[in-house]
């Protein structure tokens, strides 16, 4: 059974990540969902909660090549993609790949780079390739970008444009640990950081197989309609200036398939969509200026929509569960 295979893959990956990231099971599940959907993730959180460690732990757990790009205002697009250098011996130009040419890429403090440099990620994230001096270079598979930004400090930053935000499948937050979990973190790192002893539990081939398997998870017409009605409601809400795009609908569809699979199901439930809606759609919504004055957020608007939008009937769910 496809779902069981994906669930086993996800369980061993999550168990390995939890050796380093303590008490954040839901966040880790979102990371795995993003990986299975071949999507990219924006981690929007304060410094020191483990964003970099999370990305490095994911790469080590999968045995994948890891690269970190520390964005700064003076970076150029070539600092991300790479450059062609003339070799005087061979009398030819040689391509020297930049840090984007990896399998797990951490784009740290992505909003500190200028829009021109941020745009260097667009082709890589969407097409999984880069073009330098007119020559296209495919990126290794699997390929996932984990972008980070600090939601508190905005001085000297360049907010991500809507086109860039739309490339991220989900925006997630790690948050501070609970009291017992923070004590556990202190104990784990007393002598040696657990990341240093982390071993791979999967291969790149297993990731690619799981990504293909997730696409076969069944989504009923009723759930498909629920997804589209939810996305359309963001476009028609009175407090929203610009709603989610069809890419948001597809992202929610794919994320629902992945969540169902890691839960051991070969069908998507409306509950999968409700759990993921805020993470997939909130960063794609631009709210009205008047709504900002009322301190309304995209997350609050989505919760309001989820509360009022009719959910597909229980008969559909019962039929799927009986099959």
């Amino acid at each position: 059974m496809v779902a069981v295979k994906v669930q086993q893959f996800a369980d061993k990956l999550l168990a390995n990540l939890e050796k380093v990231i303590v008490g954040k099971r839901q966040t880790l599940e979102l990371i795995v969902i993003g990986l299975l959907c071949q999507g990219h993730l924006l981690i929007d959180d304060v410094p020191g909660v483990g964003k970099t460690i999370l990305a490095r732990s994911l790469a080590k757990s999968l045995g994948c090549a890891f690269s970190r790009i520390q964005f700064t205002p003076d970076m150029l697009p070539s600092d991300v993609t790479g450059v062609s250098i003339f070799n005087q011996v061979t009398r030819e130009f040689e391509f020297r790949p930049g840090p984007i040419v990896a399998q797990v890429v951490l784009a740290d403090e992505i909003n500190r780079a200028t829009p021109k440099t941020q745009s260097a990620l667009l082709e890589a994230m969407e097409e999984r390739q880069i073009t330098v001096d007119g020559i296209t270079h495919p990126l290794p598979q699997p390929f996932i970008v984990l972008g980070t930004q600090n939601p508190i400090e905005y001085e000297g930053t360049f907010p991500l444009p809507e086109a860039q935000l739309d490339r991220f499948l989900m925006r997630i937050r790690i948050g501070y640990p609970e009291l017992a979990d923070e004590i556990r973190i202190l104990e784990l790192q007393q002598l040696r950081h657990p990341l240093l002893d982390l071993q791979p539990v999967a291969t790149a081939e297993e990731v690619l197989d799981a990504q293909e398997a997730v696409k076969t998870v069944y989504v009923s017409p009723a759930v498909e309609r629920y997804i589209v009605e939810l996305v359309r409601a963001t476009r028609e809400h009175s407090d929203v200036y610009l709603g989610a795009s069809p890419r948001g609908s597809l992202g929610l569809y794919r994320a629902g398939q992945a969540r169902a699979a890691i839960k051991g199901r070969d069908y998507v439930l409306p509950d999968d969509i409700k759990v993921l809606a805020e993470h997939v759609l909130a960063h794609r919504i631009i709210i009205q200026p008047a709504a900002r004055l009322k301190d309304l957020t995209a997350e609050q608007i989505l919760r309001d929509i989820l509360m009022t939008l009719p959910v597909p009937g229980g008969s559909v769910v019962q039929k799927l569960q009986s099959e």
Side-chain angles (χ1 to χ4, degrees):
M1 188 177 179
V2 169
V4 173
K5 178 181 176 182
V6 176
Q7 185 183 33
Q8 291 172 346
F9 166 83
D11 284 345
K12 67 180 180 181
L13 179 55
L14 287 167
N16 207 48
L17 291 173
E18 285 184 315
K19 294 177 181 177
V20 180
I21 308 297
V22 179
K24 296 295 176 182
R25 177 80 179 196
Q26 290 184 340
T27 300
L28 295 178
E29 284 186 358
L30 293 173
I31 296 289
V32 175
I33 287 170
L35 175 69
L36 292 174
C37 293
Q38 303 179 53
H40 309 290
L41 304 170
L42 180 62
I43 307 175
D44 196 1
D45 219 325
V46 296
V49 294
K51 300 186 293 292
T52 302
I53 296 298
L54 175 55
R56 292 178 61 193
S57 300
L58 179 64
K60 290 194 72 172
S61 296
L62 300 174
C64 289
F66 173 75
S67 179
R68 176 184 176 183
I69 309 172
Q70 181 64 54
F71 282 90
T72 56
D74 60 346
M75 282 187 69
L76 299 173
S78 58
D79 294 326
V80 176
T81 59
V83 294
S84 295
I85 297 177
F86 185 71
N87 188 322
Q88 294 186 353
V89 176
T90 62
R91 311 298 294 177
E92 293 179 348
F93 282 94
E94 295 179 353
F95 174 61
R96 299 290 175 88
I100 194 66
V101 184
Q103 291 169 305
V104 179
V105 178
L106 175 65
D108 207 7
E109 294 189 297
I110 188 173
N111 56 335
R112 291 206 174 278
T114 61
K116 182 177 182 179
T117 302
Q118 291 174 7
S119 68
L121 290 172
L122 288 175
E123 183 185 12
M125 293 172 67
E126 186 66 21
E127 308 294 336
R128 285 169 167 73
Q129 64 182 30
I130 54 173
T131 302
V132 179
D133 295 333
I135 300 175
T136 299
H137 306 272
L139 294 171
Q141 299 298 324
F143 175 71
I144 181 172
V145 173
L146 301 175
T148 75
Q149 60 180 8
N150 181 354
I152 304 300
E153 185 183 353
Y154 289 108
E155 185 177 352
T157 64
F158 302 86
L160 294 179
E162 284 65 40
Q164 183 84 49
L165 283 172
D166 207 33
R167 287 335 193 261
F168 287 100
L169 174 68
M170 289 188 286
R171 181 174 65 185
I172 63 177
R173 294 181 174 90
I174 299 175
Y176 291 124
E178 298 293 335
L179 175 63
D181 293 330
E182 195 161 359
I183 293 172
R184 177 66 177 154
I185 291 170
L186 299 180
E187 294 172 347
L188 287 173
Q189 299 189 29
Q190 179 180 358
L191 300 176
R192 182 179 174 88
H193 200 292
L195 178 64
L196 299 174
D197 300 317
L198 202 65
Q199 298 298 318
V201 294
T203 63
E205 291 72 22
E206 288 181 280
V207 176
L208 296 176
D209 289 343
Q211 289 174 342
E212 290 301 312
V214 160
K215 295 177 183 178
T216 66
V217 173
Y218 177 67
V219 185
S220 71
V223 175
E224 289 178 344
R225 185 178 181 86
Y226 181 61
I227 292 171
V228 174
E229 287 179 345
L230 176 57
V231 174
R232 288 177 66 86
T234 67
R235 304 169 193 163
E236 298 165 359
H237 197 282
S238 59
D239 289 317
V240 174
Y241 174 73
L242 184 67
S245 68
R247 187 185 279 125
S249 303
L250 184 58
L252 195 51
Y253 181 95
R254 292 292 188 204
Q257 288 179 305
R259 187 176 190 274
I262 69 174
K263 298 298 183 182
R265 285 183 275 107
D266 57 1
Y267 55 87
V268 178
L269 296 176
D271 281 349
D272 295 319
I273 305 305
K274 293 179 75 172
V275 168
L276 295 165
E278 186 176 319
H279 303 288
V280 176
L281 299 180
H283 64 288
R284 306 175 194 270
I285 295 173
I286 302 175
I287 62 176
Q288 295 278 11
R292 293 195 188 97
L293 294 176
K294 295 186 290 185
D295 289 332
L296 271 180
T297 64
E299 288 82 2
Q300 290 171 328
I301 291 171
L302 270 170
R303 292 183 201 123
D304 178 58
I305 292 172
L306 289 169
M307 287 285 290
T308 56
L309 188 68
V311 179
S315 59
V316 176
V317 175
Q318 291 167 5
K319 180 177 181 294
L320 289 171
Q321 290 176 331
S322 63
E323 291 177 353

